[in-house]
Amino acid sequence: MIKKEYVSIYKDYLLDRVVPFWLEHSLDLEFGGYFTCLQRDGSVFDTDKFVWLQCREVWTFAMLYNNVEQRKEWLDAALMGADFLLRHGRDNQGSWYFSLDRKGLPLMEAHSIFSDCFAAMAFAQLYKATQDRKYSEVAKNTFEIILQRKETPKGRFSKTYPGTRDIKGFSLPMILCNLVLEIEHLLDESLVESVLREGVHEVMDIFYKPDLGVILENVALNGSIVDSFEGRLVNPGHGLESMWFVMDIARRWEDTELVSRCTEIVLQLLEFGWDAKYGGIFYFRDIKGFPPQQLEWDQKLWWVHLEALIAVVKGYEMTGDTRLEVWIARLHEYIWNHFVDPEHGEMFGYLKRDGALLVDSKGGKWKGFFHVPRALFQLWKLMEKIVEKQEFVLDETKPNR
Amino acid sequence: MIKKEYVSIYKDYLLDRVVPFWLEHSLDLEFGGYFTCLQRDGSVFDTDKFVWLQCREVWTFAMLYNNVEQRKEWLDAALMGADFLLRHGRDNQGSWYFSLDRKGLPLMEAHSIFSDCFAAMAFAQLYKATQDRKYSEVAKNTFEIILQRKETPKGRFSKTYPGTRDIKGFSLPMILCNLVLEIEHLLDESLVESVLREGVHEVMDIFYKPDLGVILENVALNGSIVDSFEGRLVNPGHGLESMWFVMDIARRWEDTELVSRCTEIVLQLLEFGWDAKYGGIFYFRDIKGFPPQQLEWDQKLWWVHLEALIAVVKGYEMTGDTRLEVWIARLHEYIWNHFVDPEHGEMFGYLKRDGALLVDSKGGKWKGFFHVPRALFQLWKLMEKIVEKQEFVLDETKPNR
C-alpha cells in the first residue's frame, strides 16, 4: 500500500514548484539556450552552457509537452534551446561539444559521447512534439555517430595506455538502454531490438555481479572484476537508475522474470548503498570497503535518491513486491526532508554525509532541468497507477459487493 | 617567540613515526618501486604505481640521505624506486607515464607534465646522493622535455577548444619555481636565472591579484581574470605552498622586499582560506563565493596545512613578523589535533569540513611519501634556526652581560 496523497505531492511539486522555476530563471532570452548555474533563488551565477544540460533541458520541456499538456510556453522553451544547439552545438564531424560560452562559442571539445546521447534524446523528443523532420534527422545522425564511437568512446582523449588493463564503463550501455527506447520511433525495429538485447545483456550479465550484489562501474573487456580503484567502484545511484531503464524494456518485452531480477537487484543495491548511520545513499563505494578515489564519495546527491525512488516505485508497480514498500517510504522521507526547498522550489543537489547542505545552489555544471522533473513526472504517473490498482482492489473486496 | 619544543616535535615525528612507516610498508621487494595505497596501519590496499608518487618517494629518500644523515637504508630505498622508474616509467618520447601496474606495465599515458617535473626532481636529488651521471642525465633530459612541453602541457589530451577562452594554470609556474632550485646544480646559471625570473613574475605579478588578496588557479593568457568556474577558483594551499618556494628564491636573491611581499600574501591567503567556523583551510574557494565545481571544496587536506605552516614559519624565520606567530600556533594545533596519528604514525590525509576523518588511509593515488616528510624536515630545520636566534637574543639581553 502507498499513500494516495503521494500522487498529488509529486504532480504538484513538478508543475507548481519546478517547471516554473526553470521557465523563469533558465531561459537566456538574449543569446538563446539556457542558464543552468542557478543559485538557490534562481539567480544566475555563471553563463557557460554545458551541452549535456542544454540537451537535457530541451528533452524535458519537449517531454512535458508530449506527455503532460501541450503548453505553448513549454514547446517554445524547448525550441529555443534546440535552435541554440543547432547553431552552435556540433563540431565539423557532427559530434556535440562538451561546453559553449554564453554566445555559443565552443569551450570544450566533443570529448564526451554522452553529449551525443543527450542530444539524440533531445531531438527525438522534440520531433515527437513537432513532427519536424529537421529534428529527427539530427537525432538519427547523432545516433549513428554514437554507434560508431561506442567501442572507443573517448577517442583521442583517452588517457588509458592500450593493452595493459583495458576496461569498459557501465555508463554507456546503461544510457543506451534508455536512449534506444527514447528514439525507437526513428530507428529500424531490428536495430532497436539488437541494441536493447545487447544493452540488457551488458547490464544484467556483465556489470551486475550476483556474488557481490552490486553493479560495477567498470569491468575488464571480458567482464571480469579488476582489482583497482576503477574496478572496485560502485555508484549505487547509477545502478538503481539502470534498473528502471531495464524494467521499461522488460515491460516492452512482457518479460516478468526480468522485472523480478531487476527488483532483486534494486533491493541489493539499496542495502549496499544505504548509509545506516545517517540515512541516504552514498555517491560511491568501493566493493572492498577501501577509500574510493572520489573525495565526494560519502555525499548524498539529489539524482541518486530520485532515480532510486523511481526504480523502487516502478518495481512495486510492476510486481507488487511488498519488500519495496519500506524503501518507498524511506526514500520519500529522505527526499522531502533534505532535497526539497519549500521556499524557492526546485531541489537542492548536494548534501554532506549527515544530510546538511553542501551548497544551496539549484543548478550548475552537472545539475540542470532533468533528473528532478523526469523523476517527479515518472513518480506522479507510477503512483497514479498504483493508487488506481489499490482502489480497484479495495473496491473488489468490499463486503457489500 | 615560538616554543623551543617545536624543534624536537617535528624532528622526532619525522624520524621516528613517518620515515619508518614508509620504509616498513611501502617498498615492493618483489617487483621494485613503492606501494603508496596504504591503510591506517600501513597494510597495502592497492598495488598500482602512480608515477608522481613513485618519483616523489625517490626524491624524499634521497633528500633525507643528503640532508639528514647518510643512512644506507634510505639510499637503498631511493635507488630501488629509481631503478623501477628507469626500467618502466617513460614512453618512447622520454615523457613519464602517469601510472603503472605493480610490475611496471603502463596504465595511463604520459598526459601529465607534473610526472616529468617530479621525475626531474627525483633524479637530480639522487644524483646529489650518488654522483652517478646516469641520474643527472635523466634529470636533464626530462627538464628539457618540460621546457618543450610547458606552453601546451596537456598536449593531445587537452579538451579545451582553442581560441575561445584560452587560460593558463598556476600549478606549472609554481612547480617550476621549486624545480629549478632543486636541479640548479645540473643547469646553466643563465637558464636557472631566466626560469626563476619568469616563474616569480608569473606567480607574483600574474596569478596573484592584489585587489582580491588571492592567488588564482587559472587566468587568461593575458593575465586577466576569467569569470568562469576555472577562473574564479582559488586553492589556498597551492598559493601558500608557492609562497615558500618564492621565499627560497628571494633568499637566494637576497631580496628582502620580495620576502615581505610573500609574507603579506601568506597572511591574505590564510584569511581567505581559513574556515572561521570549524578551523582549518578550505581545499577550494570561489572568489565570488559561488559553489566551486569540486564537491570536495570544503574538505581539509593534510598537505594544505603542512605547506601553509612551512610558508608561515619560513616567513617568520626570514622577517620576524609577529603577525605570523598566531598562525604558527593555530596551524600547529590544527595539524597535531587532526592529522597526526599517535597510534600508527604518518598522518591522515583527508578530513571533512568539521575536522572528522573522511578516510583513515595513510596513502593512495595522490598521498605518498612526500608532503609530510618534506614539511616535517623543513619545519624542524626552520624551527631550529628560529630557536637559535631567540636564544641568542635572550643571551644578548641578559642583564648580567
Side-chain angles (χ1 to χ4, degrees):
Chain A
M1 288 287 289
I2 68 159
K3 292 179 193 161
K4 194 177 164 181
E5 61 263 33
Y6 279 1
V7 179
S8 58
I9 287 174
Y10 287 89
K11 177 184 174 185
D12 294 348
Y13 202 74
L14 171 67
L15 299 179
D16 299 341
R17 308 306 313 274
V18 173
V19 178
F21 182 92
W22 293 88
L23 272 177
E24 184 178 348
H25 301 294
S26 172
L27 310 185
D28 183 352
L29 301 174
E30 194 170 346
F31 293 98
Y34 312 114
F35 302 120
T36 62
C37 295
L38 304 179
Q39 297 193 70
R40 183 177 175 188
D41 65 0
S43 49
V44 177
F45 71 88
D46 193 286
T47 59
D48 283 352
K49 290 171 179 166
F50 305 98
V51 172
W52 283 30
L53 300 199
Q54 299 293 310
C55 293
R56 286 168 155 191
E57 187 154 346
V58 172
W59 179 87
T60 303
F61 278 121
M63 185 280 288
L64 293 170
Y65 180 86
N66 292 330
N67 295 316
V68 177
E69 196 185 323
Q70 299 200 342
R71 290 199 202 170
K72 183 170 181 301
E73 60 177 348
W74 294 350
L75 183 59
D76 287 347
L79 289 168
M80 182 178 153
D83 176 60
F84 182 83
L85 283 166
L86 288 181
R87 278 187 288 127
H88 304 296
R90 284 168 296 181
D91 69 13
N92 54 23
Q93 315 289 308
S95 282
W96 294 83
Y97 290 117
F98 183 75
S99 59
L100 312 168
D101 73 3
R102 184 177 175 188
K103 295 181 181 175
L105 293 172
L107 286 170
M108 299 294 276
E109 300 267 18
H111 62 80
S112 167
I113 195 172
F114 300 105
S115 300
D116 301 333
C117 291
F118 299 125
M121 266 177 79
F123 285 96
Q125 192 68 236
L126 192 58
Y127 172 70
K128 273 192 199 165
T130 60
Q131 297 298 313
D132 185 335
R133 292 278 298 275
K134 178 172 67 181
Y135 301 129
S136 58
E137 288 307 308
V138 174
K140 280 196 284 187
N141 293 342
T142 300
F143 189 68
E144 270 167 37
I145 289 173
I146 294 168
L147 293 182
Q148 284 159 24
R149 279 180 79 170
K150 91 183 172 69
E151 302 309 322
T152 53
K154 293 186 183 171
R156 74 174 173 94
F157 300 102
S158 173
K159 295 173 179 169
T160 304
Y161 185 91
T164 304
R165 187 197 287 159
D166 294 319
I167 56 174
K168 57 181 179 180
F170 176 63
S171 306
L172 190 54
M174 163 193 157
I175 290 286
L176 285 176
C177 286
N178 181 242
L179 175 58
V180 170
L181 288 192
E182 280 284 332
I183 68 170
E184 66 166 315
H185 55 294
L186 306 178
L187 303 178
D188 285 346
E189 205 176 316
S190 63
L191 179 62
V192 171
E193 274 306 305
S194 75
V195 179
L196 287 181
R197 291 280 162 203
E198 191 189 327
V200 172
H201 168 67
E202 288 281 309
V203 172
M204 302 299 286
D205 306 326
I206 307 292
F207 286 92
Y208 170 61
K209 299 297 178 195
D211 297 349
L212 301 171
V214 299
I215 291 176
L216 295 172
E217 276 297 289
N218 300 286
V219 297
L221 294 189
N222 68 4
S224 63
I225 298 174
V226 178
D227 190 0
S228 71
F229 282 102
E230 294 78 15
R232 292 189 301 267
L233 190 68
V234 177
N235 177 330
H238 247 173
L240 288 159
E241 184 176 2
S242 77
M243 285 301 97
W244 75 257
F245 293 169
V246 176
M247 287 180 202
D248 280 350
I249 298 168
R251 193 193 300 266
R252 171 193 168 94
W253 289 344
E254 299 178 356
D255 184 342
T256 53
E257 189 267 336
L258 181 55
V259 178
S260 302
R261 283 170 60 210
C262 289
T263 304
E264 292 302 325
I265 297 174
V266 166
L267 288 164
Q268 289 175 341
L269 287 172
L270 286 167
E271 288 297 338
F272 181 81
W274 189 257
D275 181 352
K277 186 165 178 192
Y278 293 104
I281 299 166
F282 288 115
Y283 190 12
F284 292 106
R285 278 194 63 192
D286 179 293
I287 51 172
K288 292 188 168 177
F290 297 138
Q293 298 180 59
Q294 291 81 0
L295 295 179
E296 65 272 30
W297 68 271
D298 73 346
Q299 295 179 8
K300 311 291 166 64
L301 270 66
W302 86 106
W303 67 265
V304 170
H305 296 78
L306 291 168
E307 299 299 331
L309 186 54
I310 299 175
V312 168
V313 174
K314 194 162 285 206
Y316 185 67
E317 192 271 320
M318 292 171 85
T319 65
D321 190 329
T322 52
R323 292 174 300 167
L324 296 166
E325 287 177 358
V326 58
W327 285 108
I328 295 177
R330 200 173 278 167
L331 287 163
H332 173 84
E333 288 299 312
Y334 193 87
I335 289 166
W336 289 84
N337 288 335
H338 292 88
F339 291 110
V340 165
D341 179 6
E343 194 172 337
H344 294 283
E346 231 310 293
M347 292 195 186
F348 300 115
Y350 303 91
L351 313 177
K352 301 185 212 202
R353 181 174 173 185
D354 66 5
L357 280 183
L358 176 70
V359 292
D360 69 357
S361 51
K362 295 291 173 50
K365 183 172 175 180
W366 303 104
K367 181 174 188 289
F369 184 50
F370 182 66
H371 285 287
V372 172
R374 183 176 75 170
L376 294 172
F377 172 75
Q378 285 272 339
L379 292 167
W380 157 26
K381 293 295 173 181
L382 288 165
M383 302 283 196
E384 209 165 55
K385 276 203 214 175
I386 295 168
V387 167
E388 272 170 26
K389 276 192 233 172
Q390 284 176 179
E391 287 178 350
F392 180 77
V393 171
L394 282 176
D395 242 35
E396 289 283 295
T397 54
K398 266 187 190 153
N400 59 344
R401 273 179 69 109
Chain B
M1 288 287 290
I2 68 160
K3 293 179 192 160
K4 192 178 166 183
E5 60 262 34
Y6 280 0
V7 179
S8 57
I9 288 175
Y10 286 89
K11 175 184 175 186
D12 295 349
Y13 202 75
L14 171 66
L15 298 180
D16 300 341
R17 308 306 312 275
V18 173
V19 178
F21 182 92
W22 293 88
L23 272 177
E24 183 178 350
H25 301 295
S26 172
L27 311 184
D28 183 353
L29 300 175
E30 196 171 345
F31 293 99
Y34 312 114
F35 301 120
T36 62
C37 295
L38 304 179
Q39 298 192 71
R40 181 175 177 190
D41 65 0
S43 49
V44 177
F45 71 88
D46 193 285
T47 59
D48 282 353
K49 289 170 180 165
F50 304 98
V51 171
W52 283 29
L53 300 200
Q54 299 292 309
C55 294
R56 286 168 155 192
E57 189 155 343
V58 171
W59 178 87
T60 303
F61 277 122
M63 185 279 289
L64 293 171
Y65 180 86
N66 292 331
N67 296 316
V68 177
E69 194 186 324
Q70 298 201 342
R71 288 197 202 170
K72 183 171 182 301
E73 61 178 348
W74 293 350
L75 184 58
D76 287 347
L79 290 168
M80 182 179 155
D83 175 61
F84 182 83
L85 283 166
L86 288 181
R87 278 187 288 127
H88 304 296
R90 283 168 295 181
D91 69 14
N92 53 25
Q93 315 289 309
S95 282
W96 295 84
Y97 290 118
F98 184 76
S99 59
L100 312 168
D101 73 3
R102 183 176 176 189
K103 294 181 182 174
L105 292 172
L107 285 170
M108 298 295 274
E109 300 268 18
H111 62 80
S112 167
I113 195 171
F114 301 105
S115 299
D116 301 333
C117 291
F118 299 125
M121 265 176 81
F123 285 97
Q125 192 67 237
L126 192 58
Y127 172 71
K128 274 191 199 166
T130 61
Q131 297 298 312
D132 185 336
R133 292 278 298 273
K134 178 171 68 181
Y135 301 128
S136 58
E137 288 306 308
V138 174
K140 280 195 283 188
N141 293 342
T142 300
F143 189 69
E144 271 167 36
I145 289 173
I146 293 167
L147 293 183
Q148 284 160 24
R149 281 180 78 170
K150 92 183 172 65
E151 302 310 320
T152 53
K154 293 185 182 171
R156 73 173 174 93
F157 300 102
S158 173
K159 295 172 179 169
T160 305
Y161 185 91
T164 303
R165 186 196 289 158
D166 295 318
I167 57 174
K168 57 182 178 180
F170 176 63
S171 306
L172 191 54
M174 163 192 156
I175 290 286
L176 284 176
C177 286
N178 180 241
L179 175 58
V180 170
L181 288 193
E182 279 286 330
I183 68 171
E184 66 166 315
H185 55 294
L186 306 179
L187 303 178
D188 285 345
E189 205 176 317
S190 63
L191 179 61
V192 171
E193 274 307 304
S194 74
V195 179
L196 288 181
R197 291 279 162 204
E198 189 188 329
V200 171
H201 168 67
E202 288 281 309
V203 171
M204 302 300 287
D205 307 325
I206 307 293
F207 287 92
Y208 170 60
K209 299 297 178 195
D211 297 350
L212 300 171
V214 299
I215 292 177
L216 295 172
E217 277 297 288
N218 301 285
V219 296
L221 294 189
N222 69 4
S224 63
I225 298 174
V226 178
D227 190 0
S228 70
F229 282 102
E230 295 77 17
R232 292 189 302 267
L233 190 67
V234 177
N235 178 330
H238 248 174
L240 289 160
E241 185 177 1
S242 77
M243 285 301 97
W244 74 258
F245 293 169
V246 176
M247 288 179 202
D248 280 350
I249 298 167
R251 193 192 300 266
R252 174 195 166 92
W253 289 342
E254 298 177 358
D255 185 342
T256 53
E257 189 268 337
L258 182 55
V259 177
S260 302
R261 283 170 61 209
C262 289
T263 303
E264 293 303 324
I265 297 174
V266 165
L267 288 165
Q268 290 175 340
L269 287 172
L270 286 166
E271 288 297 337
F272 182 81
W274 189 256
D275 181 351
K277 185 165 179 192
Y278 293 105
I281 300 166
F282 289 116
Y283 190 12
F284 293 106
R285 279 195 63 192
D286 180 292
I287 51 172
K288 292 188 167 177
F290 297 137
Q293 299 181 57
Q294 292 80 0
L295 295 179
E296 66 273 29
W297 67 271
D298 72 348
Q299 296 179 7
K300 311 290 167 66
L301 270 67
W302 86 106
W303 67 264
V304 170
H305 297 77
L306 291 167
E307 299 299 332
L309 185 53
I310 299 175
V312 169
V313 174
K314 194 163 288 208
Y316 186 67
E317 192 271 320
M318 292 171 84
T319 65
D321 190 328
T322 52
R323 293 174 301 167
L324 296 166
E325 287 178 358
V326 58
W327 285 107
I328 296 177
R330 201 174 277 167
L331 287 162
H332 173 85
E333 287 300 312
Y334 194 87
I335 289 166
W336 289 85
N337 288 335
H338 292 89
F339 292 112
V340 166
D341 179 6
E343 194 173 337
H344 295 283
E346 235 305 300
M347 291 194 187
F348 300 115
Y350 303 91
L351 313 177
K352 302 186 211 201
R353 180 173 175 186
D354 65 5
L357 280 183
L358 175 71
V359 293
D360 69 358
S361 50
K362 295 292 173 50
K365 184 173 174 179
W366 303 105
K367 182 174 188 288
F369 184 50
F370 182 66
H371 284 288
V372 173
R374 184 176 74 171
L376 294 172
F377 173 75
Q378 286 272 337
L379 292 167
W380 157 26
K381 294 295 173 182
L382 289 166
M383 303 282 196
E384 210 165 56
K385 276 202 216 176
I386 295 168
V387 168
E388 271 170 28
K389 275 191 234 173
Q390 285 176 178
E391 287 179 351
F392 179 77
V393 172
L394 283 177
D395 242 36
E396 290 282 296
T397 55
K398 266 187 191 154
N400 59 344
R401 272 181 68 109

